[in-house]
Amino acid sequence: MTDTTTHDLIILGGGAAGLTAAIYATRAGIDALTIEQGAFGGQITTTDEVDNYPGIEGVSGAELGTKFQDHAENLGAKFAYDAISSVSFDEKESRFSLVGDEGTYQSKTLVYAAGATPRKAGFEGEDLFRGRGVSYCATCDGMFYTGKHVFIIGGGNSACEEAVFLSRFASDVTMIVRKDHLRAMSSGIRQVKQNEKITVRYLTSITRLEGETLPTSITFRDNVSGEEHVETFDPGSFGIFVSVGHVPQSGLVRDLVELSPDGSIVTDDSMATKTPGLFCAGDVRTKPLRQVITAAADGAIAATSSALFLGELII
Ligand SMILES: Cc1cc2nc3c(=O)[nH]c(=O)nc-3n(C[C@H](O)[C@H](O)[C@H](O)COP(=O)(O)OP(=O)(O)OC[C@H]3O[C@@H](n4cnc5c(N)ncnc54)[C@H](O)[C@@H]3O)c2cc1C
């Protein structure tokens, strides 16, 4: 199928950023098409409970994602299901072309909101217990571990920040660090060392997590001797937070944007990139906090910037 329309705007990605961009674009009166390859709502649909989105308490991720999509749809937003495999920009025509499994699409502006996926630690049982003892987001899930033992895998800046954050809730926090040192800024390391609730186990990895419905045992490996030992816990008494980075889904526009060393996309405050008419929003962007609310805020700004670029909005 070839979509012969040249849309004012194509929004690539139907997560919190993309759907908010769809809401703002539709309300600005521009012709916008949002393309999503999987579930509209994005990665938040994979979590059972979201308890930090203002005004909506204790909602499941799937419900929140549906609310975002319904909101956009009720305003008249247009959607397409497709997995986009290439994005190009014709400088002479100032047109973006997107190719997917289902067809090709063209637009005058593009909001790229393809998200980021948390990097996995790679231990056995990680997928099985995801959301039931394994978390990738301290800000999201920290509170659920109040009074419990918490392990954090990682020794970088985020892991240090998350250790300090989680120490407010957990009975104790143990950082599991593969190397013999933390790779973080000195202020972060100082905060970890000064915090009585935090212990650091260097040269250690987690290799296995086992249990029935909830995990009850962790296998640790000594990275020098290679020896393993198992520690057991009551079900529901502990959690493992994986903090080994994110993989921004920036590959499709890699040649059209500036990338930071971790592969996330650099934008200015209006979400603009070095390509005229290309805006980026959400987790795919370089940012200090990857959350629904920050993704939504980016989406709102990106769509508004697109409307301004098209001359459809005067503010
Ligand atoms: C387990 C978990 C729990 C979380 N809990 C919370 C929480 O409680 N509170 C909170 O605020 N945040 C939470 N977060 C973080 C939050 O989900 C993200 O910050 C937010 O969803 C980012 O939105 P986004 O739109 O930038 O990206 P995403 O939600 O990742 O959306 C990007 C979308 O783009 C689509 N896409 C990518 N590439 C293509 C392509 N080539 N073609 C078509 N479509 C494509 C993807 O399928 C995806 O749907 C959690 C994250 C996880 C993983």
Side-chain angles (χ1 to χ4, degrees):
M1 184 270 297
T2 298
D3 179 1
T4 48
T5 318
T6 298
H7 299 279
D8 288 335
L9 167 66
I10 285 179
I11 299 161
L12 200 170
L19 289 172
T20 308
I23 289 169
Y24 274 71
T26 310
R27 293 191 77 241
I30 59 178
D31 163 40
L33 176 72
T34 306
I35 304 176
E36 169 59 49
Q37 64 187 358
F40 275 94
Q43 57 179 296
I44 196 61
T45 60
T46 62
T47 190
D48 286 342
E49 192 169 359
V50 181
D51 212 12
N52 56 4
Y53 195 77
I56 309 181
E57 288 171 58
V59 67
S60 78
E63 248 181 290
L64 188 60
T66 305
K67 276 181 190 290
F68 286 159
Q69 190 189 4
D70 288 350
H71 189 165
E73 196 164 22
N74 293 340
L75 289 168
K78 288 187 285 184
F79 303 120
Y81 284 97
D82 206 348
I84 298 301
S85 51
S86 87
V87 176
S88 56
F89 179 62
D90 181 333
E91 257 179 69
K92 246 173 51 210
E93 300 288 325
S94 286
R95 292 287 180 275
F96 293 91
S97 292
L98 287 77
V99 180
D101 294 345
E102 305 294 327
T104 57
Y105 311 84
Q106 293 223 338
S107 63
K108 297 176 199 163
T109 61
L110 176 65
V111 169
Y112 188 79
T117 47
R119 207 183 290 279
K120 290 185 188 175
F123 57 85
E124 216 176 288
E126 184 171 0
D127 288 337
L128 183 66
F129 292 110
R130 183 177 177 144
R132 288 184 292 135
V134 176
S135 169
Y136 295 84
C137 181
T139 317
C140 316
D141 298 335
M143 252 181 61
F144 304 131
Y145 291 89
T146 301
K148 301 183 181 182
H149 308 293
V150 158
F151 296 88
I152 299 182
I153 300 177
N157 286 315
S158 301
C160 289
E161 274 174 31
E162 288 178 5
V164 173
F165 175 77
L166 287 165
S167 70
R168 293 189 212 151
F169 309 101
S171 60
D172 52 275
V173 175
T174 308
M175 293 181 74
I176 306 297
V177 181
R178 203 160 41 101
K179 300 203 168 145
D180 63 357
H181 59 279
L182 295 169
R183 284 187 59 196
M185 287 194 295
S186 51
S187 55
I189 295 174
R190 199 174 326 115
Q191 283 184 22
V192 163
K193 292 195 169 157
Q194 284 171 353
N195 191 315
E196 286 179 357
K197 277 188 170 180
I198 304 176
T199 312
V200 186
R201 287 195 204 171
Y202 293 105
L203 296 165
T204 305
S205 299
I206 288 178
T207 56
R208 203 172 309 117
L209 188 61
E210 290 171 296
E212 302 265 309
T213 319
L214 293 172
T216 48
S217 80
I218 307 176
T219 304
F220 296 92
R221 183 182 62 213
D222 179 320
N223 290 339
V224 178
S225 66
E227 273 173 29
E228 294 196 337
H229 79 276
V230 179
E231 291 179 23
T232 54
F233 302 86
D234 291 333
S237 67
F238 76 98
I240 297 178
F241 284 79
V242 179
S243 181
V244 293
H246 281 83
V247 186
Q249 302 300 305
S250 55
L252 291 179
V253 291
R254 139 180 9 98
D255 297 333
L256 304 176
V257 299
E258 187 192 333
L259 292 179
S260 60
D262 72 349
S264 56
I265 296 169
V266 179
T267 70
D268 66 12
D269 287 351
S270 66
M271 306 298 139
T273 66
K274 68 177 188 185
T275 300
L278 172 56
F279 305 93
C280 288
D283 279 13
V284 74
R285 199 171 80 78
T286 302
K287 63 198 306 190
L289 181 66
R290 290 190 162 89
Q291 288 280 275
V292 173
I293 190 143
T294 58
D298 288 357
I301 295 169
T304 305
S305 297
S306 156
L308 285 167
F309 182 88
L310 292 160
E312 297 289 337
L313 194 68
I314 296 160
I315 51 173

